[in-house]
Amino acid sequence: MLIGQGIDAHRFEPGRRLVLGGVEIAHDQGLAAHSDGDVVIHALCDALLGAAGLGDIGHHFPDQDAAYAGIDSRILLRRVTDALAERGLAVQNADLTITAQAPKLAPHIAAMRATLAGDLGCPPARVNVKATTTERMGFTGRGEGIAAFAVVLLDGA
Ligand code: MG
């Protein structure tokens, strides 16, 4: 068994789509990033890479590389999943927490679980997604951006 954790945060920016956990969510702004800004998938990728001892997402997909401009983060997640599979590693479970003051994420949790589980190749029941506010404290509480935290367990190899 191998455990990994990942953390990411992105700043809100007007005029961008908001994509979290591979799901597009209606909101008046999205997250600034070189990619689509999916902070949930970025945290998850870092947890997966961490568990596998493979460094971090910035090492594998540099944000100076034009190849990743505006990229759908699900493509990155599937590449990470493939890299683990090549090493005989499979996801046992993932537990994700999103901190956001707005928008309300509860209506989108099931879709995120199904989407992420599909990319990870495991049942949705093994991919837990939680959302919380920080009671208007800190950068997420002030609505400056969104942060995500991931813990994963791998088995194999
Ligand atoms: Mg990121």
Side-chain angles (χ1 to χ4, degrees):
M1 292 289 197
L2 300 167
I3 191 167
Q5 61 120 18
I7 296 172
D8 197 21
H10 283 260
R11 183 179 291 277
F12 275 124
E13 184 176 287
R16 287 181 61 93
R17 299 184 308 137
L18 178 62
V19 184
L20 295 174
V23 175
E24 184 163 349
I25 294 168
H27 194 47
D28 60 356
Q29 50 192 344
L31 295 173
H34 186 64
S35 66
D36 64 2
D38 192 328
V39 68
V40 178
I41 287 185
H42 297 177
L44 177 55
C45 285
D46 261 355
L48 294 165
L49 292 167
L54 292 174
D56 62 40
I57 190 171
H59 171 77
H60 289 269
F61 312 112
D63 65 6
Q64 302 90 342
D65 189 333
Y68 304 117
I71 196 168
D72 178 346
S73 293
R74 291 185 64 194
I75 293 170
L76 308 182
L77 178 58
R78 290 195 287 260
R79 286 190 196 166
V80 169
T81 303
D82 289 346
L84 299 189
E86 283 167 17
R87 290 162 177 80
L89 298 170
V91 175
Q92 268 300 308
N93 78 300
D95 187 22
L96 312 175
T97 303
I98 307 166
T99 61
Q101 197 64 42
K104 285 244 179 298
L105 298 178
H108 308 287
I109 297 292
M112 288 188 221
R113 294 181 75 169
T115 300
L116 296 171
D119 291 338
L120 290 170
C122 69
R126 295 293 185 93
V127 182
N128 196 67
V129 179
K130 311 186 294 294
T132 184
T133 72
T134 52
E135 299 287 348
R136 302 198 176 276
M137 296 182 289
F139 68 91
T140 60
R142 291 188 296 270
E144 295 170 10
I146 293 179
F149 305 82
V151 175
V152 303
L153 197 65
L154 307 181
D155 72 357

